[in-house]
Every structure is written in C-alpha cells, then in structure tokens.
Amino acid sequence: MAFRDLIRERFFPHIWCPGCGHGTVLNSLLHVVDKMGLDPTSMCMVSGIGCSARISGYVNFHTMHTMHGRALPCATGIKLAKPQLNMIVPMGDGDAMAIGGNHFIHACRRNIDMTAIVLNNRIYGMTGGQYSPLSGRGVLATTAPYRSIDDDFDAVALAQGAGATFVARTTAFHVKELSKILTKAIQHKGFSVVEVMVQCPTYFGRKNKMGGAVQLLEYYRDNTAPLGSKKLEENQNLIPRGIFVERERPEYCEEYQNVIALAEGKE
Amino acid sequence: MEAVEINVLWCKGCGVCVAFCPKKALSLVGEKAQVDPELCIGCGMCELYCPDLAIVVNKPTKKNEKVTEEGLS
Amino acid sequence: MSATQQDVRFVQGNEACVRGALYAGLRFFAGYPITPSTEIAEHLAENLPKVGGTFVQMEDEIASMCAVCGASLAGSKSMTATSGPGFSLKQEAIGYAAMAEIPCVVVDVQRAGPSTGLATKVAQADVNQARWGTHGEHSIVTLTASTVQDMFAVTVEAFNIAEAYRTPVILLFDEVMGHMRERLVIPPAGELPVTERLRTAVKPGVNYHPYLPREDGRLPMSDYGDIHRYHVTGLYHDIWGFPTEQPEQVNKLVHHLVDKIEGRVHELARWKEFYLEDAENVLISYGSAARSARHLVETRRQKGHRVGLLELQTIWPFPKDLVREKTANAKNVFVVEMNMGQVMAQVKQAVDNPDHVYLVNRVDGTLVTPTDIGNVMRVIEGKGV
C-alpha cells in the first residue's frame, strides 16, 4: 500500500461497520495526501466525537480527538500557534452542524486555512441512530419514530453564507470526484468545506428501509448530479454536487502576522 | 506482487467493490472479496471504493478503458 | 527604561494578571468578552502581538477554552480568562485538558451567581466549581491572590505549575481584585523563576510515548508539528495516547490524574500568614475577603487582641495539613469568604475541632467588611451583638 506510512496499521481493521462510508473518505484522503506528496509531519488532523471522529486515530499525523462539536476551535488554536501545519478537520453531521454549528459558521467567517470535511450520513451513528440536523423531514430515526418534522440544513449553503472560501459537495459513491475535490480543498488557501454524503447502512439505511451500503451508494448515484449538468437542469429534485465556491479572501493567520507587525512597530 | 491484493483481515465483506466493479471481476467468497484476474482491467475503482482500505490494485489500467464512477464510458 | 530603574506601575488586578502571564511566557490567549474579566482580554489583545504571541477573540467561551487546548499542544503557553457564566461553559474543555494533561491557565474573575447573577458585583462562590465543575474524577490546581502584586506573582506560579505537572490551573480571582488599582512592581526578567515546558529528548525514529511518565512522574511533551506524531484524546488512553477500555489501564490513569496533584499538596501549597504564633482567634480567608480580614487583624492587634490570619493562596488541592497545623492552638477559627461556606466546609474537615469553625460571609454582591468580621467575632466571644 502506497500510503502505509500515513496510517497506524496496528489499529486495523477499523471500528466502523461493514460498508460504512467513513472508511471510503479515509481511503480517499490517504490517496490524496500520498499523491500530493505531503510530509506527514506537516499534517494535523483534529476530530470531534462520534463515528466520524474515530478517523483521527487511524492516520499517522499529529492527531487530536477532541470533544463533541469542538474540533474546529481546537484546530483553530493549533493552527494559530503553528500556522505551517496542514489542518484536516473531519466532522460528523451532528458534530459539525448541531453541537458544533456555532464554531462551524465562525470558522467559515474567519477564513482560517484548514480543510473541514463534513461526513454527512444523516444520522447519529455512535449513539444508535438518532436524527441529526442533516437528516431532513420525513426521516425515520430512533428519536423520530413518527418521522422527523425537522427540516435539514443545507451544509453547502450554510458554509457559503458564513463566508467559507472553498465549498464543495460530493458523495462516497463518487470516489474519483471525492479525490479531486479533497485535493483542491487542501490546496486552497483559506477555510475549505467539503460535504461528503456518506452511507450509514447500519442505522440510516436499515431504519429507513433503504437497504445496505450498495443501495445507499446507488441512491447517491441516482439522486445527485454535477453542478451545471443537463441532468441537474432537467431535474430540480436532484442534489447538486461539485465545487460551489472557490474564491480568495485574506487568510486569518496571515492577517494576524500583519497585526503582529503593527504591534511590534508601535513600541 | 499480486495484480490485486486483498487484505482478508481488513475486508468486512460489505460488497461495495463487487457492486461497482465495471467488469464484475470481484465476488464475495465466504464474506471476503475475491478478484478474478482474468476479468480485472486494473482500473483501481475497487481500491478507491473499499471502506476497509483492504484492496490494493497493482495492475496498470488496460489501455483504451476509461472508467468513471458510473462504470465504463 | 534603564537597568537600574524599577518597572513600577499603578494598575488594575486584571492588568497585573496580564503582566504576570507575559512574564511567565504566555504566547497564546483565546477569550470572549465577559465582565469582570474583560480587561485581561483587552490588555492581551494589545500586548501579546508585541511579543509575537497570538490573541484571538473566539465565537464563545467554549471555543476559547478549546483553542487554548489546541495551542498548548502546538507548543505555546496558553491562557483564557472569564467569569462565572463563562467558567460554566469552559468546564467541558477544562475536563479535556485535565484528561489529556494539557498545560493551560484559566482565569475566573468571580462575580455573583448563579446564572447571570450580578455581573459587576463581587463574589467568591466558584470555589467548588473550580474543583468539581467538570465531570468525572480528576484533580485540579486553584490559586488566589489578595493584592495586585500577588496577582502578578500567582499568575507566574500558575504557569509554572501548569507546565510542570501538565494540568489546567485555575486562577480564582474576584471582581474586587480584578478591578482594584494598586502599585505593581514588575520584577526584572529572571528574578522570579519561570518553568519552561519539558520537551522530550526522544530522537526521530525512536518511539515517543506521550503518556509514559518519567521516574519523577513528569511527562515530557512534543509539540504538534515537531518530529513525533502522536494521538491525543479525551477518552481513557494508554501510554501512546490511544483509547483503551482496559480496566487496569483506566484505573492507573485515574490514579495518575488525581495523585499527581493530590500527592503534591505540600509542594503546591502557597499561603501567607499574619500573627499566627500566639493567635487565639484565627481567621482564614483568600482573595479580596482576605484584605478585610487583614485589616481587622491589624487593628485588633494594636489593641492587644490575639488574632491572626491565614491567607490561602492555594485552595485546590486543599492544604488540609497546613490548616490543621496553623489552627492547632486556636480557640476559634473564622473563615471569611463571600459564599455560603465553600472553603469553610474544607476547613471543618481539616481541623481537630470543627465545632469551633465559624463562617463570616457576605453574599449580597458587596465586599465583606472588617466590621462584618468583628460583629461575628463578638458574638462568638460572648461579647454581645
């Protein structure tokens, strides 16, 4: 395996269920870091709590498994103290959008250079299948036995509105696209948000009678379409994929260097 | 080095690789993925799909075969 | 300023805290505005970048404490400051810092609570919150001060203790101390000891165990970004920092977290004492309340009364033996504090005769006065109200 140096092999097989999309995102990320030739000692991964958060234990980077929803502020502290680090911040949908929602929008606003990956499986997996802010109306979950009456956030629109300078969405079915988007997100100078729609066959799939991993991936194949595609134009019900925002804005750590220069000149 | 290495200790038998192999070169045997080297064109999609990081494709992609997530194009 | 000239200032306690932190080598501060601690953030916003450090105003109190944890792991001496409501919010990440053994300093300039309470008025009711605010078994260090000069000194101490023992240290100040102005003499660099972080000497290619204590119990660190890549988690973990549920390892870690502090009660005890040698009545106090206690002791001594004061600068771990020893010959012990007896409960457990321990308090948002103390003493001494 080309990325053997990038993982902590002794912890494999990993803890995720058979067919869990989180594994595919980890897989893609490792391929990307390997292909980009990034030095693992320059890599820092910070995660929150939940199934997705376990990802930080598997990569042989500097890793911090923090608290539920708190990956971004912890990562912000690290990045400000060591701006040369390449920060990757994977989060679950509940992690990023519910308990960590405030941190999420402010990290977007600040435009601090890091790559936030929202692993959206539309469910709280670790606690056994409760609905999340990305589940959407009509979903069955252990805490929505009569179907959810909560509308979902559009994570992409939220990131866009909050000022993230790179915003993209893809799925665990579109593995080549995922690699391309992750590469661009890591290369981007500023706050990048990548929403990856991933499958939770154990809770989301089973509870909603949508089948196992294969059927859920087929669902992502059939119900999404690339931005600007004819397919999307023809069917407004499809979920758009691709890069929604890619623009430049002053990066926070660089801006703070200017503050230091100003302060030092003062005395 | 085998053309396609499958780490049976890591493979959890989810069947994702089997479902999305454009050449149907993979199958599950005893809940573990197995490849038919004759059918494999070395496209590497299974390596990218595998949620268990259990597959490494060493075989170069066959010429004239352009593969996307949607299959052969 | 020439080398012989002293750096003397007339400053608020909050600024003294800032000067102490900078003296100790603070390089990262994350905070959120809250009365009565805001001046700490304001002074650091101005002064941290002057020394190449980083100040960041985060989106909330939780984020501030999280950023402090992250920055400390990346190698910076780190601090945050808040007051009661914010201190409540920070407890989650204070627990993380305790579990992951992240050196950091948390300032709580106390105001009256619970909830929003009295935002601009004094109280000392966060004593137990400092000790038990975060969930789960752990230990923590908490320091106080009763003069602006002491606020400078205990802030330096707080960083030294945090770095030496890899623990969050709480600086439990109060509104009066934070806002009061007094003379501050900033000692020249090198006069007060400053503890630098112990970093691992393990060479590249050799296994580094972030949670394997040395023989002296200390855990050498490696900064994120340096050669050693390792894992930090809030889960129970092994010597590598990886999660474990092995009862033996869990048990060992709980004991380590508690013992590294509780086992050093004597080393960590800081106090001041006034006229204790022959004191029949011993006052025990801390923070701004100790100023009133001191005043009462000085005036009564002039009248020949045998009264003394033990000012506790370390509240947690509670210096039980010290309190017992210093009150051994006292007829009465008066605990002067602005809460319903949080330190008094500890004193009662420490002394031989808990029935002779009395509380002198004020919980109305105003400073407990020497008159308040005198009134209670007169009743106990049988001299009428």
Side-chain angles (χ1 to χ4, degrees):
Chain A
M1 198 186 308
F3 49 71
R4 187 150 283 170
D5 294 345
L6 302 178
I7 59 169
R8 291 160 174 156
E9 264 195 85
R10 64 187 185 281
F11 299 119
F12 285 82
H14 55 57
I15 62 155
W16 295 312
C17 303
C20 173
H22 294 342
T24 303
V25 178
L26 169 61
N27 186 342
S28 179
L29 182 70
L30 292 168
H31 276 90
V32 164
V33 172
D34 182 47
K35 207 167 173 191
M36 290 175 79
L38 296 168
D39 175 3
T41 46
S42 78
M43 303 298 298
C44 183
M45 183 185 278
V46 184
S47 63
I49 290 292
C51 295
S52 68
R54 291 307 186 100
I55 192 170
S56 62
Y58 297 117
V59 294
N60 196 12
F61 305 160
H62 303 284
T63 54
M64 187 178 182
H65 178 215
T66 69
M67 296 145 277
H68 197 24
R70 315 295 177 221
L72 284 170
C74 290
T76 299
I78 296 172
K79 181 69 180 178
L80 282 167
K82 279 268 169 77
Q84 66 271 32
L85 284 170
N86 289 310
M87 306 299 298
I88 312 278
V89 188
M91 295 168 286
D93 42 321
D95 204 26
M97 299 284 134
I99 195 162
N102 196 33
H103 308 312
F104 180 82
I105 55 173
H106 286 274
C108 291
R109 174 180 64 80
R110 234 175 249 125
N111 197 35
I112 189 162
D113 185 24
M114 54 179 74
T115 302
I117 306 171
V118 181
L119 295 107
N120 174 17
N121 59 7
R122 305 175 67 190
I123 202 95
Y124 287 89
M126 191 67 96
T127 46
Q130 297 75 35
Y131 71 94
S132 90
L134 297 191
S135 292
R137 190 179 281 273
V139 155
L140 284 167
T142 58
T143 46
Y146 306 107
R147 294 193 184 275
S148 165
I149 55 167
D150 286 37
D151 283 318
D152 52 344
F153 272 139
D154 178 337
V156 162
L158 191 64
Q160 201 169 346
T165 47
F166 182 98
V167 183
R169 178 192 286 128
T170 184
T171 84
F173 173 77
H174 301 92
V175 282
K176 288 197 162 177
E177 183 179 275
L178 173 60
S179 295
K180 270 183 216 145
I181 284 177
L182 284 178
T183 305
K184 285 197 168 182
I186 294 170
Q187 283 166 344
H188 178 76
K189 185 96 191 161
F191 193 73
S192 311
V193 177
V194 180
E195 179 192 357
V196 189
M197 303 185 74
V198 293
Q199 70 280 14
C200 172
T202 304
Y203 291 110
F204 191 84
R206 195 163 57 185
K207 197 88 196 166
N208 288 284
K209 300 199 168 34
M210 287 172 75
V214 171
Q215 289 73 37
L216 287 165
L217 286 168
E218 284 168 350
Y219 176 86
Y220 289 143
R221 179 190 64 196
D222 301 338
N223 290 279
T224 65
L227 277 173
S229 67
K230 208 167 168 226
K231 199 176 160 191
L232 190 64
E233 207 179 300
E234 285 165 359
N235 185 352
Q236 297 293 312
N237 293 324
L238 297 179
I239 302 165
R241 303 192 319 268
I243 298 168
F244 294 74
V245 178
E246 195 174 10
R247 65 187 173 98
E248 276 185 41
R249 193 153 65 79
E251 193 275 329
Y252 199 75
C253 297
E254 289 184 353
E255 286 289 287
Y256 199 76
Q257 286 308 309
N258 297 334
V259 171
I260 289 177
L262 275 173
E264 282 172 344
K266 213 169 147 188
E267 245 182 21
Chain B
M1 192 163 60
E2 285 185 57
V4 179
E5 294 172 45
I6 296 177
N7 183 342
V8 292
L9 296 173
W10 292 9
C11 172
K12 291 175 178 166
C14 65
V16 168
C17 60
V18 176
F20 300 115
C21 173
K23 285 288 182 182
K24 301 286 165 220
L26 288 138
S27 55
L28 284 183
V29 178
E31 295 197 343
K32 300 287 175 187
Q34 212 174 63
V35 67
D36 180 344
E38 294 300 311
L39 294 175
C40 173
I41 55 166
C43 71
M45 290 302 285
C46 55
E47 177 175 327
L48 281 177
Y49 270 119
C50 179
D52 301 326
L53 289 76
I55 307 178
V56 180
V57 179
N58 298 310
K59 194 172 177 173
T61 312
K62 254 191 190 169
K63 279 178 192 159
N64 309 324
E65 299 277 19
K66 185 161 164 33
V67 178
T68 70
E69 291 92 338
E70 314 274 346
L72 294 170
S73 61
Chain C
M1 190 187 310
S2 76
T4 50
Q5 225 177 343
Q6 269 194 323
D7 186 353
V8 184
R9 300 166 190 231
F10 184 65
V11 296
Q12 281 191 327
N14 280 342
E15 186 179 344
C17 170
V18 164
R19 295 292 158 193
L22 291 168
Y23 188 93
L26 175 76
R27 284 300 175 271
F28 184 88
F29 179 93
Y32 187 83
I34 185 168
T35 306
S37 79
T38 308
E39 295 84 0
I40 294 176
E42 289 172 341
H43 281 289
L44 283 169
E46 185 182 342
N47 290 296
L48 255 181
K50 287 183 188 169
V51 295
T54 303
F55 166 90
V56 61
Q57 182 172 312
M58 295 297 285
E59 57 272 19
D60 59 33
E61 299 276 6
I62 300 169
S64 310
M65 191 61 216
C66 291
V68 161
C69 289
S72 183
L73 287 171
S76 297
K77 286 189 175 179
S78 302
M79 179 172 101
T80 185
T82 188
S83 186
F87 195 44
S88 293
L89 290 167
K90 288 188 196 297
Q91 293 301 333
E92 179 192 31
I94 291 173
Y96 186 86
M99 178 59 121
E101 302 189 68
I102 301 171
C104 56
V105 174
V106 181
V107 186
D108 173 13
V109 186
Q110 295 169 96
R111 65 193 226 190
S115 190
T116 315
L118 298 165
T120 60
K121 306 289 182 188
V122 72
Q124 294 178 314
D126 301 350
V127 171
N128 283 330
Q129 187 186 20
R131 177 64 185 88
W132 296 111
T134 200
H135 62 279
E137 194 62 81
H138 66 286
S139 196
I140 208 151
V141 179
T142 300
L143 305 178
T144 73
S146 70
T147 68
V148 166
Q149 188 70 46
D150 284 354
M151 281 178 81
F152 178 94
V154 299
T155 302
V156 177
E157 283 277 352
F159 280 91
N160 290 348
I161 292 167
E163 294 294 335
Y165 305 115
R166 289 190 61 170
T167 178
V169 175
I170 313 294
L171 284 171
L172 205 55
F173 299 142
D174 58 59
E175 188 277 331
V176 168
M177 291 316 307
H179 285 159
M180 189 181 63
R181 282 177 195 275
E182 260 182 342
R183 178 183 149 98
L184 170 68
V185 182
I186 298 179
E191 192 175 301
L192 295 184
V194 169
T195 304
E196 290 311 328
R197 184 168 295 188
L198 181 64
R199 288 185 168 85
T200 181
V202 170
K203 297 197 166 49
V206 181
N207 286 335
Y208 161 64
H209 300 95
Y211 293 100
L212 179 64
R214 299 196 309 191
E215 271 183 22
D216 62 1
R218 291 186 68 183
L219 297 166
M221 296 185 76
S222 177
D223 301 345
Y224 277 168
D226 283 356
I227 47 171
H228 299 291
R229 283 167 275 155
Y230 64 100
H231 192 56
V232 174
T233 177
L235 290 165
Y236 276 95
H237 45 270
D238 58 20
I239 56 169
W240 298 92
F242 291 110
T244 179
E245 290 181 347
Q246 293 287 324
E248 198 185 313
Q249 291 188 33
V250 171
N251 185 57
K252 203 169 161 185
L253 182 51
V254 177
H255 281 93
H256 165 73
L257 294 179
V258 173
D259 293 350
K260 74 172 181 181
I261 290 168
E262 300 300 322
R264 290 191 171 92
V265 175
H266 297 288
E267 257 172 80
L268 295 170
R270 308 278 185 278
W271 74 94
K272 286 173 131 180
E273 54 179 272
F274 305 91
Y275 310 106
L276 283 184
E277 304 75 33
D278 62 343
E280 286 178 353
N281 288 319
V282 171
L283 307 187
I284 296 178
S285 192
Y286 53 93
S288 60
R291 299 177 71 91
S292 296
R294 172 94 189 270
H295 183 87
L296 177 119
V297 167
E298 296 288 355
T299 50
R300 284 214 167 185
R301 274 284 165 180
Q302 282 171 15
K303 297 178 198 159
H305 295 199
R306 287 163 67 184
V307 56
L309 167 66
L310 172 63
E311 181 196 334
L312 298 178
Q313 289 189 323
T314 304
I315 295 193
W316 304 114
F318 192 76
K320 205 173 163 181
D321 292 343
L322 175 82
V323 167
R324 184 164 180 262
E325 186 192 311
K326 299 292 180 190
T327 59
N329 300 316
K331 273 168 51 184
N332 299 307
V333 176
F334 297 89
V335 181
V336 185
E337 56 184 339
M338 287 175 282
N339 58 50
M340 298 293 273
Q342 296 187 21
V343 163
M344 182 188 70
Q346 297 299 317
V347 171
K348 282 198 173 211
Q349 283 182 25
V351 299
D352 292 326
N353 195 346
D355 292 345
H356 290 191
V357 176
Y358 304 96
L359 176 66
V360 183
N361 72 346
R362 197 169 260 283
V363 288
D364 59 0
T366 63
L367 185 64
V368 64
T369 62
T371 310
D372 294 331
I373 304 167
N375 288 344
V376 174
M377 288 178 79
R378 262 193 299 282
V379 173
I380 302 305
E381 289 167 326
K383 292 174 185 165
V385 183

